[in-house]
Amino acid sequence: MSGEALLKAVRAGQTVEAAGLLDGMTDAERRSCLPALKELRKELRTAPWDAGSRVAYPALHAAGAACHTGAAGAATWIGGADMRWSQASPGVLLHVLGDRETDWLADLTHRLADRPATSRIPFALLSGLVNLSGCETPTTDTYVRGWVEHIGASWHSGGTVAQKLRREPDLPRMIAALFESLDVTGQIAWLFGDGPGSWYNALAELAEEGTLDRKVLVDACVARLLRGGAPADQRVFLRLLSCLGPTREEERERSADWTALACEAMPAVAWHAQSVLASLALDGELTSRQLAEMSSGVLFRPEKKLVRAQLILLGKVLRRDPSTADVLLPAVAQAFGHEDTEVQERALKLVERHFTALPDSGDGRDRLGELAVDLSPGLRLRARRVLGFEDLGSEPAVHEEVLPPVPERVRLAAAPDSVAELAEEVSALLASGGGVAAFERTLDGLVRHAHRDRDALLEALGPVVARCWWKDADPRYSTAGTYFRESPHGLEGVLAALFEQVGMDTLHAAVQQGTTNGNCRHSALSRAFDARLWEVAYRLRADPMPLLLATPSWDTGLLEPDELVARLTEYRRLDARPGAADFAQALLRVRRDDRTAATAAAARARALGSPEGYRLAQWLAAEGPLLPVSRRRTAGVRILLELGELEEIQGLFPPEFRYLGRPLTVFKDRSHCWHWDVTDRHHWPAVVPGRRELVAARLLRDISTVAVDDSREEAAILPLLAEGDGTAGEALHLCVAYGLGARHPEDRLAAVDALLVLAARGQLDAGRLGADVGELVRRGAVKPSRLAESIRTAAATGAYATVWSVLRDLLPALLADLAAEGASGGPVRGLGELLTVAADCAERSGARGDLAHLAGTAGRRGSSKVVVQARRLRLALTQEAAA
């Protein structure tokens, strides 16, 4: 009877009454209640979130913990994910578990403490179990995190952090565990707080009064910084170390640790370590060998602030003690290989200033000569002239241009021959998407197998679509019809139609009327792409096609004319009816640039005697592919393009395809665009292969947002457009120009990839791109600082001549604006970086000639980066090439 009463109390959510009933039960009686409690738990797992039965969770949590007579089972029950948000209070759990033996409780304590922090085991429960069992305090991440949160919650429990720490019986052990924990600090760093009552000041106070060992704390902080880790962790221990205030003796003892941190740690930690070592060095407490060892690591760091500070420190030490030149100047020369030529120049000036202090005999001069080879070409010539390193001219100044390999078209493999293989490819596409090749051959496979054996296809695809939200949905409440009426959503809409989760009326309306969404600049491409998918979905149910006509021959979307004729021949043999959208897509994809092949295929197509054969023959006989007339327009800071009508894609094409040939305007059809998802856009170039300008013009406004509005991922399609077929004209170059000024690095990298691919294919109009970028910078659409990052990345690949050819037409516009501002005008932010890259490229590519407005900038007074790099660029363009 006690078991029935307990279950009744638990179902009613009467936690206190359930705890009272458990007090009077033996272990055997508790074990007998466990099966009923487990059944209730299964029942609650499937109950709706607002079901009244869920009130039982806290009582069930406590009862199940008490009825498990094994510590492992009790720990698993207490940490169950399904009861994580409706647990019994720690007080109730401690009450129902309090009659267990101490060894059992100790085992339970450590099992709970070993669970991950996501289990949300209350610290009050863990600490209470430690007190009940008398066991050793756990030092796991879960326990340490709970302990820190408990100590830090002084705002509602009274007392400062220092006062609460003094009352902790096992304080040294817990502090040591805090330093050893790998995952705690990053999640609780915010609890360390600020001000007099923070953790930092509390630990420093306890170390000062002797409650904690000061040396242990300093060593632990340094060790944790040496270990590295997340920036949040590093900031916690760096700040704590600063609060402890190491003495000069403590700093000197750890000089090797400071050297390692200055060379390898995150910037904030490295800066602190560098400042400590600089103080030691200037006070004569660091040997020249130690300073040289430190410098060899710091001078290769990318942070210019750290490198400049190190060079300044070396200069101070060399001025104070010229006898250290033999040791320190080779360390200074390590900076000759730095990626920033400004750093190289600083290091060279320092070497020039103290070069005479080097002894005539020794390895110092030879070592400098070896390292000077790493200087940029212009600085290398200066080193040869000033320092007398005659052998520096042995390396040619002009570097060989390095461009990526030209992308080659890849033939599409045949559609999967078996339904099992097809099911695997469908699963992969649903899980992670795929390119044009994978999508098209899989779509063709669905059509072919549905025509051969629909039942076998459904059986093979059953496990694949089982996880789709629309599979086996209640037709009374399913939104699949509306969802797929708005868009087929790629392959998913075809599968839903195949499994009859979309009604024939919906599919018929989609085929007859097209999309229900309004028109926008993207709708021409999306309408054509979707129209074919809707037609495939409809025909799978109504009149399966034997194969698809428009499956491309190449991964770019192009279709060979002889393959299309062969497919029409097969349709003719089977007396099958081609799909209107499928045939229209095939016409747009078929190659016409090889006139010999096109003429031969046209003759064979005409001989078929079918309407589609005559239409194909007529299409192949025409010149193409054609592009519409374009015109530049401005909208705010943007430069956009308008397209005229393309009559070729009108006439006999289905209505959904005619939008591709209609005019595109800048100030119309801008609102109500629903193409916010960029995942399907990589299919759009394959809708009109050979006409990538048409795609680029319709995506131009979107791509402009990466620079103007700081959006993300819109430029991801640029490499695909660069690898495509057709003219690389005004639209594509404008897209690349916007991408080079993108806010986010991944978009800038996509634009750099596109630029290099176009250059490798011989399709880059560098003058046009440079002029476009310059105009966009002047209008404020592209920020020069971002542009400089992109240009530097492109040059770093070895494409110095290509990058210079772009900068040659970009820089004059910016230099002209600088000259127009007068001597008092400030330079454009980022112009100095652009001039730096331009000078690098000119030196390495051997560029010569004049650049408009460069002389005026180089002739300015001062030593700003713009002026210094302008002088360097002018020298590179006017000097004779190195021998």
Side-chain angles (χ1 to χ4, degrees):
M1 293 296 294
S2 58
E4 294 179 2
L6 175 63
L7 187 60
K8 181 178 179 181
V10 169
R11 282 189 175 276
Q14 298 171 347
T15 306
V16 175
E17 183 176 345
L21 292 171
L22 289 166
D23 287 341
M25 289 185 179
T26 64
D27 283 353
E29 290 174 333
R30 291 184 178 186
R31 282 195 297 269
S32 66
C33 296
L34 197 55
L37 295 175
K38 290 182 177 180
E39 286 298 321
L40 176 58
R41 184 180 182 182
K42 290 181 181 179
E43 177 186 327
L44 293 179
R45 282 174 178 166
T46 59
W49 65 270
D50 56 347
S53 58
R54 294 177 67 89
V55 72
Y57 263 124
L60 177 63
H61 191 226
C67 291
H68 276 87
T69 54
T76 302
W77 183 279
I78 292 172
D82 55 330
M83 292 186 283
R84 191 167 298 164
W85 303 101
S86 300
Q87 300 181 18
S89 67
V92 171
L93 289 173
L94 292 172
H95 173 80
V96 299
L97 297 172
D99 57 352
R100 299 289 185 181
E101 296 178 356
T102 55
D103 290 345
W104 189 96
L105 289 172
D107 188 11
L108 175 64
T109 302
H110 287 284
R111 288 179 182 275
L112 290 175
D114 284 336
R115 297 181 73 85
T118 53
S119 297
R120 300 183 62 86
I121 306 298
F123 177 74
L125 173 61
L126 292 173
S127 60
L129 288 172
V130 170
N131 293 331
L132 283 176
S133 64
C135 67
E136 188 178 56
T137 304
T139 56
T140 63
D141 286 350
T142 296
Y143 193 90
V144 174
R145 178 181 179 180
W147 177 76
V148 174
E149 291 176 344
H150 166 71
I151 294 296
S154 58
W155 61 275
H156 65 77
S157 57
T160 64
V161 171
Q163 291 170 344
K164 297 178 76 172
L165 288 175
R166 289 190 186 97
R167 295 195 293 267
E168 286 295 308
D170 209 3
L171 180 61
R173 175 182 169 83
M174 293 307 300
I175 293 297
L178 175 61
F179 281 98
E180 289 296 325
S181 175
L182 290 175
D183 301 322
V184 169
T185 52
Q187 300 181 29
I188 57 145
W190 62 275
L191 283 173
F192 273 60
D194 294 299
S198 67
W199 267 85
Y200 305 104
N201 290 309
L203 291 174
E205 182 181 339
L206 295 179
E208 187 69 25
E209 68 187 28
T211 303
L212 292 173
D213 190 323
R214 172 189 173 79
K215 184 178 184 303
V216 170
L217 286 180
V218 173
D219 285 341
C221 283
V222 175
R224 189 59 192 256
L225 293 174
L226 286 169
R227 181 193 299 178
D233 290 10
Q234 299 284 280
R235 282 191 289 268
V236 167
F237 292 108
L238 177 61
R239 184 170 178 184
L240 177 56
L241 181 63
S242 300
C243 289
L244 290 171
T247 64
R248 177 50 62 94
E249 179 64 25
E250 290 171 334
E251 291 177 341
R252 187 168 53 249
E253 290 174 353
R254 297 169 176 82
S255 59
D257 295 332
W258 303 127
T259 298
L261 291 173
C263 297
E264 302 293 340
M266 63 174 279
V269 177
W271 180 258
H272 175 81
Q274 185 189 47
S275 64
V276 172
L277 289 171
S279 178
L280 291 173
L282 294 176
D283 289 344
E285 299 183 72
L286 201 67
T287 67
S288 58
R289 294 290 178 188
Q290 289 175 314
L291 181 57
E293 179 186 357
M294 166 204 177
S295 300
S296 64
V298 174
L299 292 177
F300 271 102
R301 293 189 63 114
E303 299 87 5
K304 297 178 186 178
K305 182 179 178 182
L306 284 169
V307 174
R308 285 197 297 266
Q310 191 67 22
L311 290 174
I312 291 172
L313 171 62
L314 289 166
K316 289 180 179 179
V317 175
L318 285 166
R319 282 197 303 272
R320 189 189 63 189
D321 186 3
S323 65
T324 61
D326 190 40
V327 175
L328 295 185
L329 282 187
V332 172
Q334 296 283 342
F336 289 172
H338 199 277
E339 62 180 10
D340 188 351
T341 55
E342 186 176 351
V343 171
Q344 294 181 17
E345 186 174 11
R346 284 174 177 265
L348 181 57
K349 285 181 178 179
L350 190 56
V351 170
E352 291 170 352
R353 191 176 301 126
H354 298 280
F355 186 71
T356 55
L358 282 174
D360 294 334
S361 61
D363 297 332
R365 292 175 181 263
D366 293 338
R367 181 58 178 158
L368 289 178
E370 293 172 2
L371 294 172
V373 175
D374 296 329
L375 289 165
S376 66
L379 294 176
R380 198 183 313 139
L381 292 174
R382 172 174 160 182
R384 184 175 63 178
R385 184 176 62 253
V386 176
L387 303 180
F389 296 144
E390 295 297 334
D391 58 340
L392 294 184
S394 59
E395 182 184 354
V398 178
H399 289 237
E400 182 180 354
E401 183 77 351
V402 178
L403 292 171
V406 177
E408 296 183 359
R409 296 175 185 154
V410 177
R411 270 275 187 180
L412 257 69
D417 189 55
S418 68
V419 290
E421 182 185 354
L422 177 63
E424 291 180 1
E425 298 208 5
V426 169
S427 179
L429 283 173
L430 290 178
S432 57
V436 171
F439 180 86
E440 290 289 344
R441 67 186 297 268
T442 303
L443 184 64
D444 189 36
L446 286 172
V447 171
R448 290 173 182 267
H449 284 287
H451 184 265
R452 294 176 194 169
D453 191 343
R454 177 188 176 90
D455 293 337
L457 177 62
L458 292 174
E459 182 180 356
L461 292 176
V464 175
V465 302
R467 64 179 182 269
C468 295
W469 64 270
W470 42 262
K471 183 68 172 67
D472 299 327
D474 189 334
R476 294 174 298 174
Y477 307 108
S478 176
T479 60
T482 303
Y483 180 76
F484 291 114
R485 178 65 183 92
E486 294 175 351
S487 169
H489 298 280
L491 201 65
E492 196 172 359
V494 176
L495 293 171
L498 183 64
F499 280 85
E500 301 184 4
Q501 294 297 310
V502 182
M504 286 296 291
D505 56 339
T506 299
L507 295 174
H508 186 266
V511 171
Q512 294 296 319
Q513 302 171 14
T515 183
T516 59
N517 295 294
N519 292 325
C520 64
R521 55 189 175 273
H522 315 101
S523 60
L525 295 163
S526 66
R527 278 176 179 269
F529 179 69
D530 291 348
R532 180 165 170 254
L533 292 179
W534 271 320
E535 181 180 77
V536 169
Y538 176 74
R539 291 288 296 272
L540 285 176
R541 296 271 295 281
D543 181 18
M545 296 180 285
L547 53 89
L548 289 177
L549 296 172
T551 303
S553 307
W554 305 95
D555 60 342
T556 59
L558 284 177
L559 173 59
E560 293 296 335
D562 56 339
E563 290 188 33
L564 179 54
V565 173
R567 293 170 189 172
L568 285 174
T569 303
E570 180 67 10
Y571 264 83
R572 185 71 168 173
R573 186 184 69 83
L574 296 173
D575 195 24
R577 179 172 60 89
D582 186 37
F583 180 63
Q585 180 63 88
L587 291 180
L588 291 175
R589 285 178 171 172
V590 70
R591 284 186 61 192
R592 293 186 287 173
D593 53 349
D594 186 344
R595 297 311 305 162
T596 301
T599 302
R604 294 195 300 272
R606 189 176 295 106
L608 292 175
S610 64
E612 290 77 19
Y614 286 120
R615 181 75 176 96
L616 175 59
Q618 181 184 20
W619 182 261
L620 290 173
E623 294 290 336
L626 302 177
L627 290 174
V629 176
S630 63
R631 182 178 64 165
R632 284 199 175 205
R633 296 292 297 272
T634 59
V637 298
R638 290 177 170 87
I639 300 173
L640 301 174
L641 290 181
E642 291 188 335
L643 300 180
E645 186 174 14
L646 189 59
E647 295 183 0
E648 184 183 38
I649 311 180
Q650 297 291 320
L652 299 178
F653 275 85
E656 293 296 277
F657 284 79
R658 295 174 192 166
Y659 290 92
L660 292 167
R662 293 182 182 174
L664 171 68
T665 62
V666 171
F667 303 106
K668 187 179 178 183
D669 300 331
R670 291 177 54 191
S671 58
H672 309 297
C673 177
W674 59 279
H675 300 92
W676 52 269
D677 188 358
V678 300
T679 54
D680 283 342
R681 292 187 181 181
H682 63 282
H683 290 289
W684 290 354
V687 173
V688 282
R691 307 180 203 248
R692 55 181 168 179
E693 276 291 286
L694 197 153
V695 180
R698 292 188 175 275
L699 292 177
L700 182 56
R701 179 181 285 274
D702 298 81
I703 294 175
S704 73
T705 62
V706 301
V708 179
D709 302 322
D710 296 348
S711 65
R712 190 191 294 268
E713 295 184 358
E714 299 287 354
I717 198 173
L718 287 178
L720 189 61
L721 290 174
E723 294 171 6
D725 300 294
T727 302
E730 191 172 21
L732 182 53
H733 281 76
L734 271 174
C735 286
V736 174
Y738 281 116
L740 292 174
R743 164 67 177 82
H744 299 285
E746 58 269 30
D747 287 310
R748 293 199 296 269
L749 187 59
V752 169
D753 287 344
L755 185 154
L756 296 177
V757 168
L758 289 173
R761 300 181 69 185
Q763 298 172 342
L764 178 68
D765 187 337
R768 166 180 275 171
L769 179 60
D772 285 344
V773 174
E775 188 174 355
L776 290 174
V777 170
R778 299 179 75 180
R779 294 182 62 85
V782 168
K783 292 180 173 61
S785 55
R786 298 175 183 174
L787 176 63
E789 290 294 326
S790 301
I791 294 296
R792 183 185 298 108
T793 301
T797 66
Y800 299 111
T802 298
V803 173
W804 167 247
S805 65
V806 175
L807 290 172
R808 184 179 55 210
D809 289 275
L810 163 63
L811 288 173
L814 304 185
L815 295 175
D817 288 344
L818 182 62
E821 292 174 359
S824 61
V828 177
R829 182 181 179 185
L831 179 57
E833 296 293 335
L834 286 173
L835 287 169
T836 300
V837 180
D840 284 341
C841 292
E843 290 173 346
R844 296 177 187 273
S845 66
R848 299 294 181 267
D850 188 25
L851 194 68
H853 307 290
L854 178 63
T857 304
R860 285 189 169 202
R861 290 179 296 178
S863 58
S864 68
K865 188 167 189 174
V866 169
V867 173
V868 169
Q869 295 302 322
R871 292 168 184 166
R872 179 183 164 212
L873 176 58
R874 181 179 62 177
L875 178 63
L877 293 175
T878 56
Q879 70 183 0
E880 293 297 326

